[in-house]
Amino acid sequence: MQVNVSNIVFNFSTTTPGQVASANFTFYGSDPSTGEFLNNTVRVDKTELPDGTTFFTGLDKAQTIAREKLLKYLALPTA
């Protein structure tokens, strides 16, 4: 199943106008042969970005962080 980012929502700071505090990455994937699908949203906080990076200068890094978090959540034990 191929999983892609289908939506990115920027959450602006309530204390610092114009600054993005976090971003929500929505992932979607489907397998037409089985009818199964995945639809998840993962939030990346500004503090999780590498030093000197913003969501606008490092969107690819932010997406990588979101994908890593999604994989971590999907690897939860089934028992």
Side-chain angles (χ1 to χ4, degrees), residues 1 3 5 11 16 19 23 32 36 45-46 74 78:
M1 174 185 309
V3 178
V5 173
N11 305 304
T16 309
Q19 295 293 314
E36 295 175 329
D45 192 81
K46 180 182 177 181
L74 293 175
T78 58

Side-chain angles (χ1 to χ4, degrees), residues 40-62:
N40 293 84
T41 300
V42 176
R43 183 178 58 102
V44 175
D45 192 81
K46 180 182 177 181
T47 60
E48 295 176 90
L49 297 176
D51 288 340
T53 305
T54 69
F55 286 101
F56 299 112
T57 63
L59 191 57
D60 57 336
K61 292 179 178 95

